[in-house]
Amino acid sequence: MFAAQAEDCDIRTVESWPGPNGELKRPAAVLLAHHGLQCGFCTPGFLMLAEGYLAERPGATKEEIREVVAANLCRCTGYQTIVEAIDACAVARRSDR
């Protein structure tokens, strides 16, 4: 997408996540807590993927999450901790409702 195509669109990036007091949004905090980080190269992609997917599918199962995260390449992990973190985030969001 070219920048001109994004005019009048709501653009969210991982850089906008820390709140005014520096706290992490839930996907980032949960990924950190579940040790879903390695070198960090793929982390922004997983965070934005999780945020967007869980916004559309709050009731996502682990199998659905596993399928979705396969779209983002990570060379350091076996994806298991990332799937666990995103699932934990989904469970926490459901309990917030």
Side-chain angles (χ1 to χ4, degrees):
M1 169 182 263
F2 295 109
Q5 293 172 298
E7 188 173 348
D8 298 323
C9 292
D10 180 30
I11 306 291
R12 292 181 291 157
T13 66
V14 76
E15 288 82 8
S16 67
W17 277 20
N21 297 323
E23 72 276 3
L24 293 174
K25 284 194 175 183
R26 183 171 282 147
V30 173
L31 199 64
L32 182 63
H34 282 263
H35 307 288
L37 308 168
Q38 293 287 320
C39 75
F41 186 80
C42 64
T43 302
F46 281 117
L47 291 173
M48 297 308 294
L49 182 88
E51 182 71 13
Y53 186 69
L54 294 180
E56 292 178 12
R57 300 260 315 142
T61 66
K62 277 189 183 181
E63 285 304 314
E64 292 170 330
I65 293 168
R66 188 170 285 110
E67 185 175 326
V68 167
V69 300
N72 197 45
L73 291 176
C74 176
R75 295 177 152 231
C76 299
T77 71
Y79 293 89
Q80 189 59 35
T81 56
I82 296 166
V83 171
E84 294 291 331
I86 296 172
D87 182 57
C89 185
V91 169
R93 286 183 176 190
R94 287 192 295 269
S95 69
D96 286 350
R97 292 182 179 183

